[in-house]
Amino acid sequence: MDADVAVIGLGTMGSMAIWQLAGQGVSVLGFEQYGIGHDRSAYGGESRRFRIASPLVGETPFIKASYRKFRELEQDTGKQLLSDSGALTIGDPNTGRMKNVMISIEKYDLDHKIFEGNEAMSRYPQHPLLPGEVIIWDDLGGILRPEQIVISAVNRAKSLGAKIHSYTPVVDIQADSNGVTIHTNDSTYRVGKVVVTTGPWANKLVPSLNNVFSVHRLLMTWFMPEDPELFKESKFPNFSRLSDGVHIQGTPALDGRMVRVSDNSIKAEVKDANFFDKNVAVEDILGVRESVKKLLPNLNPDPMRISAFMEGFTSDGLPIVGSLQENKNIILVCGFSGQGFSQSPAMGEIAKDLVIYNNTDYQIDHLSPYRFGLVNYDYIQTASE
Ligand SMILES: Cc1cc2nc3c(=O)[nH]c(=O)nc-3n(C[C@H](O)[C@H](O)[C@H](O)COP(=O)(O)OP(=O)(O)OC[C@H]3O[C@@H](n4cnc5c(N)ncnc54)[C@H](O)[C@@H]3O)c2cc1C
């Protein structure tokens, strides 16, 4: 055996898994097809919004646990990874989305405030509200620095003994009842288990995902404020807003100038992650331009910077987390469907638990690969023999 376990794909989930596996003294190999901290898949773009009071109530426990883990990684590495500026969810309190945020807050006892009317206007003049709308402020929200987090976690894993192979795509994995054989373009490795965290490439190594997994392009767009002072982080926390059918999210002017706003409804299918085109056509940004014009009048509506990223989506919008086969040697952590960064440390911990104990204290039954009837990878090989 070359190691107890290999983590394939050292992006968001893989970096969190390898950091926590190495921290337990497990011998671990990490494979990444590009450099560590690259911008070709799901985590680029310099910021991710972090909020615990999620409209997807089921993910709140993972995010709450992740808050502590991000702080732990900060302590381990001496890097500031998550700021503490809070997070805003904006909309009509009678919609399911806003009601769910309140359910998360009540169920998990989260510090929050609700602003409406003149108070909302004077506190957050950047967000003129439609009649009846409110702003929910989530105290523990903030801004995550994704590239810094991935690099810090991988470096920490390395210092704890993990062996990192960057610019090394894994081209095939073969599982049997004793372990897994991993093929790269020029080497073969034998390990006890693998954790597959290949993000938008998840169905390449695990083709049985094909029917339930798709890859989509999401755009990030940056805008120039009339008054940059109004959009600095202390005054303009990360936000998500659904108003009159328009769903936007954004982060403050982290460089003191550019404000990031994305329109959630704009996503195009990517046929093959290997041939992802990062060029963005002019017509693809007209939608977010209209959304900004409508909801953020203090920004110049023409985006000045545009970046395209990929994300792996599942057919029910929930990630796939668990062992693919009965002998538990292939563990999938993928399909985060646009929601993954905030919960990634908890997902790394779950991967670590599944590797070491074949079990976890987190409630993950609803995320199991078996919900899609995914066939037993090992069983296919055995059955065809
Ligand atoms: C534009 C955008 C905005 C988002 N905003 C937010 C947000 O504000 N808050 C939030 O919580 N989430 C957000 N998300 C979601 C979050 O970023 C993703 O869910 C998360 O990054 C997915 O992580 P992952 O590990 O599945 O994929 P990735 O982070 O892409 O990691 C996969 C890694 O595997 C590598 N790899 C693939 N195949 C192989 C192979 N065969 N061999 C070796 N390596 C391989 C890839 O190169 C990559 O490094 C956003 C996503 C996007 C795209």
Side-chain angles (χ1 to χ4, degrees):
M1 286 275 176
D2 292 294
D4 296 332
V5 58
V7 177
I8 304 176
L10 299 179
T12 312
M13 304 300 156
S15 63
M16 292 293 140
I18 201 164
W19 161 49
Q20 295 181 72
L21 281 161
Q24 292 294 305
V26 173
S27 71
V28 53
L29 307 178
F31 295 93
E32 169 52 51
Q33 63 182 345
Y34 301 129
I36 309 300
H38 69 88
D39 74 342
R40 295 162 184 267
S41 57
Y43 66 86
E46 295 155 33
S47 65
R48 287 291 179 273
R49 293 180 315 110
F50 182 82
R51 47 106 180 85
I52 300 187
S54 171
L56 302 168
V57 182
E59 69 174 29
T60 302
F62 300 120
I63 306 178
K64 203 173 172 192
S66 293
Y67 179 84
R68 289 193 303 275
K69 288 264 155 202
F70 279 126
R71 296 297 182 218
E72 190 183 318
L73 184 60
E74 285 183 329
Q75 278 189 343
D76 282 1
T77 61
K79 303 276 191 294
Q80 208 229 326
L81 306 173
L82 167 62
S83 67
D84 56 5
S85 47
L88 308 180
T89 309
I90 306 170
D92 178 341
N94 298 312
T95 56
R97 175 172 163 278
M98 295 295 274
K99 283 182 182 164
N100 278 356
V101 170
M102 288 311 299
I103 291 171
S104 285
I105 286 173
E106 277 150 28
K107 190 165 175 189
Y108 297 101
D109 192 22
L110 306 175
D111 280 346
H112 73 288
K113 284 189 189 123
I114 299 174
F115 297 101
E116 50 194 314
N118 288 342
E119 195 186 8
M121 193 56 198
S122 69
R123 181 97 182 214
Y124 299 112
Q126 311 88 340
H127 296 291
L129 300 183
L130 301 182
E133 287 187 330
V134 302
I135 298 178
I136 303 174
W137 181 73
D138 177 349
D139 182 36
L140 290 184
I143 304 294
L144 292 160
R145 298 300 197 142
E147 298 89 346
Q148 173 86 76
I149 289 170
V150 168
I151 292 168
S152 302
V154 171
N155 283 346
R156 178 67 181 148
K158 214 163 152 181
S159 72
L160 291 164
K163 293 200 173 63
I164 307 298
H165 300 269
S166 54
Y167 299 99
T168 309
V170 168
V171 294
D172 190 30
I173 48 177
Q174 300 283 337
D176 55 57
S177 51
N178 298 319
V180 185
T181 302
I182 295 169
H183 297 279
T184 65
N185 284 323
D186 46 23
S187 297
T188 298
Y189 300 84
R190 181 79 180 154
V191 295
K193 296 185 181 186
V194 296
V195 180
V196 178
T197 46
T198 46
W201 286 264
N203 57 340
K204 299 271 180 206
L205 285 183
V206 186
S208 57
L209 288 173
N210 274 335
N211 291 336
V212 297
F213 183 84
S214 56
V215 183
H216 291 265
R217 182 186 77 169
L218 301 180
L219 296 181
M220 284 185 158
T221 31
W222 283 260
F223 297 84
M224 179 64 85
E226 270 168 29
D227 175 7
E229 185 64 21
L230 203 57
F231 287 87
K232 64 185 194 187
E233 193 173 347
S234 58
K235 294 191 175 165
F236 187 75
N238 91 61
F239 74 94
S240 167
R241 176 170 188 180
L242 177 58
S243 282
D244 205 13
V246 176
H247 191 182
I248 55 172
Q249 326 185 303
T251 52
L254 297 173
D255 69 344
R257 287 284 185 280
M258 295 187 291
V259 178
R260 177 169 72 75
V261 184
S262 307
D263 185 325
N264 257 13
S265 53
I266 302 171
K267 60 179 201 273
E269 185 158 1
V270 176
K271 292 279 174 239
D272 186 334
N274 283 337
F275 299 100
F276 178 48
D277 183 0
K278 281 178 81 77
N279 289 316
V280 179
V282 171
E283 51 271 27
D284 292 348
I285 47 134
L286 298 180
V288 68
R289 182 175 187 272
E290 286 310 306
S291 304
V292 165
K293 248 190 197 171
K294 186 169 174 179
L295 297 178
L296 290 162
N298 294 315
L299 296 180
N300 182 341
D302 293 313
M304 49 199 281
R305 182 183 158 198
I306 303 159
S307 296
F309 300 96
M310 284 186 286
E311 169 74 314
F313 284 75
T314 61
S315 51
D316 64 4
L318 294 175
I320 301 174
V321 182
S323 307
L324 185 59
Q325 56 175 27
E326 275 151 26
N327 71 9
K328 319 268 188 217
N329 288 342
I330 296 180
I331 294 158
L332 296 186
V333 185
C334 62
F336 282 85
S337 307
Q339 310 290 339
F341 212 99
S342 303
Q343 28 182 339
S344 57
M347 293 299 153
E349 187 176 21
I350 290 167
K352 180 261 293 172
D353 290 346
L354 295 178
V355 166
I356 299 177
Y357 310 114
N358 284 333
N359 210 340
T360 180
D361 288 339
Y362 286 91
Q363 177 49 254
I364 57 165
D365 290 349
H366 61 301
L367 308 181
S368 163
Y370 289 101
R371 76 184 188 275
F372 293 125
L374 290 177
V375 285
N376 181 327
Y377 194 87
D378 188 46
Y379 175 74
I380 297 172
Q381 292 189 340
T382 318
S384 62
E385 278 166 10

